[in-house]
Amino acid sequence: MSAPTYDLGTLHGGLRLPGNKEQSTRNPIFEMPIPAQLVLPITQHVGDPAQPLVGIGERVLKGQLIARPDETLGAPIHASSSGTVVAIEPWPASRRFGDTAPCIVIDCDGKDEAIVPADKPADFTTLAPDDLMHRILDGGIVGLGGAVFPTAQKLMQARTCKIDHLLLNGVECEPYISCDDMLMRENAADVVSGAQILMHALQVNVCFIAVESDKPNALRALGEVLGAAKDSRIVLKQVPTIYPSGGEDQLVQLVTNREVPSGGLPTDVGCLVQNVGTAAAIHDWIIGNTPLISRVTTVTGDGVAKPVNVRARIGTTIGDIIETTGGYTDRAEMLIIGGPMTGKSVSTDRVPLVKATNCILVLSHTPSPGPEMPCIRCGDCAAVCPVQLLPQQLFWYACADDEVKLREFGLMDCIECGCCDLVCPSHIPLTADFRVAKSRIRELADEKARAARARLRFEARSQRLEREKDEREAELAMQKESAKAAGPSAIAEILKRKQKKSEDEK
Ligand code: SF4
Ligand code: SF4
């Protein structure tokens, strides 16, 4: 079956930003050597931390499972190389400034000895879709576009909806980041193979690989692979270079002309979106038996001597990566994990590369938009918002901590793209305020859910105690009735039994 054709939908708002990607795409992907030490956080997915399965002093092999999640939104963690576990301790993390996270620390032995892979069928199409999804889960695959949602869970959830389109997201619209571009140029066949595996898991017959028009080399490489594969179900789509066209909902709109409803997901309109890097990771695991233990990341900015894309083992520290690829410049001042729009600044380069790390950006200056001033209601923020929100109204309700109005005005649909900040003449840090307001609302919702669960538990316990009391009373009444009917000797027998029971219990 051939993929249907669509006219590209339009993206509301958005901005054309300077790409700053040429610096890091001049050279091929650099293969980072195995570092002396690996630091593997046990939380590299959206759910609760995984549970370590190894102890200090234990030898581990490349690809060995070292931490397993105990709830549905987690993903397993594997050792990225062979060596010895030397610590399980808090380590600087790239989630928030100054934050730490529990990590498994491995001193590498340099042998890179791999675990013997489990038997698997040579042809993935012989696997039932559910079995394929469970295999994807075992590979520790998460969304590599930055969301780190476990891929298998996303696929399983999608299988419960009526999905007819798979979209591979090769739209890397945030300035400076070029890891997906380089991956598509150099590993286009793996991306296409990953798409075919995903299509089998989802049982869909249409896949669009979306790539921005400013990536001619990636488009050419994918075009050649698709031409050779002769798989008419997969179609390459060139989309305009505009930020943030790589947002999931925005991409669905652009490529299929379907609008994801407010508060909804792409699956609500029959689409599932996966990053091209995730597709390549699925290929590596299902075809190559290598779980997610490395990734391509961009090292760039005027604070590094040699901007480049690097393939490094998960757990390599950012400092090791920068040092090996050329080091800092004298002007390096600020380290950001992620891009300039959505990344997080960190206080130390001891933080490790994790599955989510798509960019290591070092700048020679701390971006300073100027002093914040009152809103002049110019409306520029609303004009650029890709979700068609009213940021100035949201800002007002965020200041007033008005959860009801914030929800009513669609705060939870905000994708934190930062476009409103960039155009605001009053330099109001709108996105940061929205991020805080969203976490506050999520915390309140979590608190309410926890309180509701505690109430249900209390009610269930009270009902059980009440039921047991009724049962005891009914039994006593029955005993009395039968004793009455049997006469005084039976009463004496019952008293004797009770006395013996209480003596036994003593
Ligand atoms: S862009 Fe800034 S000043 Fe203009 S309406 Fe929005 S918040 Fe107010
Ligand atoms: S950060 Fe949120 S409110 Fe601001 S432009 Fe982006 S989506 Fe709209």
Side-chain angles (χ1 to χ4, degrees):
M1 179 186 162
S2 301
T5 54
Y6 295 103
D7 291 332
L8 283 183
T10 50
L11 179 68
H12 179 272
L15 291 167
R16 285 188 200 285
L17 302 170
N20 282 315
K21 301 183 190 236
E22 334 63 71
Q23 306 92 315
S24 58
T25 52
R26 285 187 197 119
N27 293 304
I29 296 172
F30 173 77
E31 296 290 335
M32 173 84 190
I34 300 160
Q37 193 170 68
L38 289 162
V39 181
L40 292 145
I42 55 173
T43 308
Q44 297 190 47
H45 43 257
V46 289
D48 286 341
Q51 296 304 316
L53 302 173
V54 289
I56 294 168
E58 196 172 325
R59 178 150 198 268
V60 292
L61 299 176
K62 178 171 80 167
Q64 181 179 332
L65 181 67
I66 55 168
R68 183 188 286 130
D70 53 12
E71 53 106 33
T72 50
L73 281 183
I77 312 283
H78 301 82
S80 313
S81 188
S82 58
T84 305
V85 176
V86 292
I88 300 174
E89 62 186 14
W91 198 275
S94 54
R95 290 180 307 194
R96 279 193 301 262
F97 199 85
D99 214 0
T100 61
C103 292
I104 298 173
V105 185
I106 299 171
D107 273 357
C108 299
D109 57 18
K111 297 177 185 162
D112 210 24
E113 198 180 329
I115 197 161
V116 178
D119 281 345
K120 66 173 181 67
D123 179 1
F124 70 85
T125 59
T126 60
L127 283 171
D130 283 350
D131 293 341
L132 187 51
M133 287 185 209
H134 281 106
R135 261 197 70 72
I136 291 172
L137 178 67
D138 291 343
I141 318 284
V142 297
L144 295 188
V148 289
F149 197 92
T151 303
Q153 278 86 338
K154 195 169 173 180
L155 295 174
M156 287 172 193
Q157 189 261 335
R159 283 271 284 159
T160 63
C161 312
K162 215 171 170 307
I163 299 294
D164 54 6
H165 283 38
L166 168 69
L167 269 62
L168 282 202
N169 190 349
V171 178
E172 196 168 42
C173 51
E174 189 163 352
Y176 287 99
I177 309 174
S178 60
C179 56
D180 286 346
D181 183 7
M182 293 304 291
L183 181 86
M184 290 186 285
R185 293 187 202 190
E186 296 189 16
N187 300 98
D190 297 353
V191 173
V192 172
S193 164
Q196 288 166 329
I197 297 166
L198 283 163
M199 290 173 83
H200 181 66
L202 288 166
Q203 295 288 287
V204 298
N205 284 313
V206 180
C207 170
F208 292 117
I209 305 181
V211 181
E212 282 165 306
S213 51
D214 69 344
K215 297 181 174 56
N217 295 327
L219 284 162
R220 194 177 314 115
L222 284 166
E224 282 170 13
V225 170
L226 287 172
K230 296 194 173 33
D231 188 342
S232 59
R233 302 171 306 159
I234 306 176
V235 172
L236 194 53
K237 279 272 178 186
Q238 188 172 317
V239 303
T241 305
I242 188 157
Y243 178 81
S245 50
E248 283 206 349
D249 297 359
Q250 289 66 41
L251 193 68
V252 169
Q253 173 87 51
L254 265 177
V255 174
T256 67
N257 244 333
R258 299 177 184 180
E259 189 174 336
V260 179
S262 170
L265 293 168
T267 48
D268 295 332
V269 292
C271 297
L272 184 88
V273 184
Q274 289 288 350
N275 174 266
V276 286
T278 312
I282 287 172
H283 161 86
D284 290 346
W285 171 233
I286 299 297
I287 308 295
N289 256 328
T290 305
L292 183 48
I293 56 168
S294 67
R295 69 157 296 150
V296 180
T297 192
T298 307
V299 181
T300 190
D302 58 359
V304 292
K306 287 188 188 157
V308 71
N309 275 279
V310 54
R311 192 188 309 272
R313 300 293 168 98
I314 305 293
T316 311
T317 63
I318 301 302
D320 272 350
I321 293 175
I322 293 175
E323 194 184 314
T324 310
T325 53
Y328 293 102
T329 63
D330 293 343
R331 296 176 299 155
E333 192 176 293
M334 188 182 202
L335 174 60
I336 297 170
I337 304 298
M341 304 294 283
T342 59
K344 294 181 177 70
S345 73
V346 292
S347 53
T348 167
D349 64 7
R350 290 178 72 229
V351 300
L353 177 93
V354 293
K355 295 175 183 178
T357 313
N358 56 1
C359 185
I360 299 163
L361 176 62
V362 187
L363 298 175
S364 63
H365 59 284
T366 305
S368 165
E372 184 179 334
M373 291 178 290
C375 170
I376 56 170
R377 305 197 77 79
C378 63
D380 288 356
C381 50
V384 297
C385 178
V387 192
Q388 304 191 50
L389 301 176
L390 296 171
Q392 72 275 41
Q393 289 295 124
L394 288 172
F395 173 63
W396 178 259
Y397 295 128
C399 292
D401 211 7
D402 188 336
E403 184 196 335
V404 175
K405 283 288 183 195
L406 283 168
R407 280 189 183 275
E408 194 184 312
F409 278 76
L411 175 74
M412 301 318 276
D413 289 333
C414 167
I415 57 169
E416 300 172 21
C417 65
C419 286
C420 49
D421 283 27
L422 222 53
V423 298
C424 177
S426 297
H427 311 303
I428 301 170
L430 296 158
T431 313
D433 288 341
F434 298 159
R435 210 171 274 146
V436 171
K438 280 169 79 177
S439 348
R440 178 82 194 116
I441 288 177
R442 280 197 201 104
E443 272 165 26
L444 283 173
D446 285 351
E447 269 170 35
K448 278 185 195 160
R450 267 198 300 276
R453 280 200 298 274
R455 197 181 61 243
L456 282 176
R457 272 201 305 275
F458 175 76
E459 284 171 2
R461 183 172 179 275
S462 304
Q463 281 170 6
R464 179 173 56 79
L465 292 176
E466 193 65 29
R467 198 174 55 244
E468 285 171 1
K469 185 168 156 254
D470 289 349
E471 283 168 4
R472 271 199 309 276
E473 284 175 359
E475 193 189 347
L476 204 60
M478 258 172 58
Q479 283 174 354
K480 275 185 185 164
E481 281 304 313
S482 35
K484 244 192 237 168
S489 60
I491 294 174
E493 181 59 30
I494 290 169
L495 288 172
K496 215 160 92 187
R497 273 209 308 270
K498 279 197 168 176
Q499 193 182 359
K500 182 166 186 319
K501 195 177 169 204
S502 79
E503 278 170 8
D504 287 350
E505 281 169 0
K506 277 182 203 163

